[in-house]
Amino acid sequence: MKTFFKALGNLFRKPVTIKYPFEQTYIPDDYRGMIGFDENLCIWCRRCEMVCPPGAIVFSQDMDGKQTYHFNRAVCIYCSECVRACPKEGAIFQTAEPAKCALKEENINNGWNALFDEALKSRADYAAEKKRLAAEKAAVLKTDDEKK
Ligand code: SF4
Ligand code: SF4
């Protein structure tokens, strides 16, 4: 009988579930959502990349030394370590925006890994070129000194 009245009462009670994804679920104030980046505040120290446990951030570098930030939301585990490590407030930040599903073009097994490797290579190439130019400059200065 008790069960019958409980079932009857449930007919007039508001459902405890929501019609997700048509209705947004409750998001707490300290929710760790999407990672944001402001290149105008960044000092390009790459600490965020160094502390990121799954490797969701990588910086590439062109031959003029200009760095570019890359982030993969499908690799990110939303731990906020990058935000904590950043010495420049606001350069990298965690928003309350829920993480979205990975898109096909964010293919983490192939696309992201390839981009990651290319980014590291671009930095190595830049460093090697810088070293070569410094050695060239030192050789010219040495030759000039010897001529005197
Ligand atoms: S929140 Fe964590 S996993 Fe995501 S980019 Fe930052 S350090 Fe990496
Ligand atoms: S830790 Fe902050 S300042 Fe350094 S590269 Fe990352 S976002 Fe930029």
Side-chain angles (χ1 to χ4, degrees):
M1 210 57 180
K2 197 175 160 193
T3 310
F4 171 75
F5 282 115
K6 199 169 180 185
L8 201 66
N10 280 343
L11 287 176
F12 304 101
R13 201 166 288 150
K14 209 175 156 229
V16 288
T17 53
I18 59 159
K19 290 178 185 164
Y20 186 85
F22 306 107
E23 266 178 52
Q24 275 300 309
T25 187
Y26 161 73
I27 296 175
D29 291 343
D30 55 355
Y31 179 79
R32 290 186 189 156
M34 283 292 287
I35 294 295
F37 175 74
D38 186 341
E39 69 170 19
N40 297 315
L41 293 174
C42 181
I43 56 169
W44 312 101
C45 65
R46 303 203 289 254
R47 282 193 207 176
C48 50
E49 179 195 290
M50 286 183 250
V51 299
C52 179
I57 294 174
V58 71
F59 290 84
S60 59
Q61 194 163 35
D62 67 17
M63 291 315 264
D64 295 323
K66 187 182 181 307
Q67 296 192 64
T68 305
Y69 163 88
H70 307 273
F71 167 71
N72 192 309
R73 63 187 182 184
V75 176
C76 180
I77 55 170
Y78 300 92
C79 62
S80 206
E81 280 303 309
C82 51
V83 179
R84 270 191 285 274
C86 181
K88 196 85 170 94
E89 202 180 334
I92 195 158
F93 49 93
Q94 197 139 26
T95 68
E97 188 192 333
K100 295 187 178 73
C101 308
L103 300 173
K104 205 173 175 186
E105 57 267 28
E106 286 169 325
N107 183 335
I108 54 170
N109 294 325
N110 301 316
W112 177 248
N113 288 348
L115 190 152
F116 203 98
D117 291 345
E118 273 167 33
L120 296 187
K121 186 178 175 305
S122 70
R123 275 152 46 183
D125 289 348
Y126 172 72
E129 180 63 3
K130 214 173 149 191
K131 204 172 164 186
R132 191 190 68 75
L133 290 173
E136 208 174 84
K137 198 174 166 189
V140 170
L141 288 173
K142 198 178 167 197
T143 315
D144 289 349
D145 282 349
E146 282 166 359
K147 281 182 191 165
K148 283 178 193 166

